[in-house]
Amino acid sequence: MALTITASGTQAATVGTEHTLTTLTGGKNYTLHVDTAAMTHGSGTADELELRIKANVLSGGTERIVYYALFAGTQDIPIKISLPVPVPQTATVTLKQTAGTGRSYPWAITTPD
């Protein structure tokens, strides 16, 4: 099965800020891919990263978290891939670095063809 990249980029994280990577429109399954190779466990404080996908059920409804992951320190397996998330209406994908030194994170959203 082939994949289509529907959105991608590199997010320079500001510690403590939830960055919106993209907004998705429904009727598809989406998967988030993030490269966390830049994360370290520096002297004192390890880098910490939160990834979220928030979706709504009904058109105009409130988006709520449907996927959440937290990573800390140096990553042995740097490419993080979310579970496929079915989005019936809309969804927002976010990245938030909560500790450490702000890093840049390459990311992509894919859908199966």
Side-chain angles (χ1 to χ4, degrees), residues 87-99:
V87 176
Q89 299 297 325
T90 63
T92 302
V93 180
T94 68
L95 174 152
K96 181 178 182 181
Q97 188 172 342
T98 58

Side-chain angles (χ1 to χ4, degrees), residues 3-113:
L3 294 178
T4 299
I5 296 175
T6 60
S8 64
T10 299
Q11 179 62 56
T14 300
V15 175
T17 300
E18 185 172 12
H19 301 279
T20 296
L21 302 179
T22 191
T23 300
L24 307 169
T25 55
K28 294 182 181 176
N29 290 313
Y30 294 96
T31 306
L32 170 62
H33 305 247
V34 178
D35 185 342
T36 63
M39 292 179 70
T40 66
H41 190 299
S43 59
T45 304
D47 293 339
E48 291 183 4
L49 180 68
E50 298 177 349
L51 303 175
R52 290 181 179 84
I53 301 175
K54 304 171 192 175
N56 57 11
V57 175
L58 299 174
S59 180
T62 301
E63 286 188 350
R64 303 189 192 282
I65 297 171
V66 296
Y67 172 82
Y68 172 82
L70 171 66
F71 304 99
T74 303
Q75 300 296 299
D76 291 335
I77 301 171
I79 303 296
K80 305 305 179 191
I81 302 173
S82 73
L83 297 170
V85 175
V87 176
Q89 299 297 325
T90 63
T92 302
V93 180
T94 68
L95 174 152
K96 181 178 182 181
Q97 188 172 342
T98 58
T101 301
R103 309 286 178 193
S104 290
Y105 298 94
W107 62 273
I109 299 289
T110 62
T111 59
D113 282 344

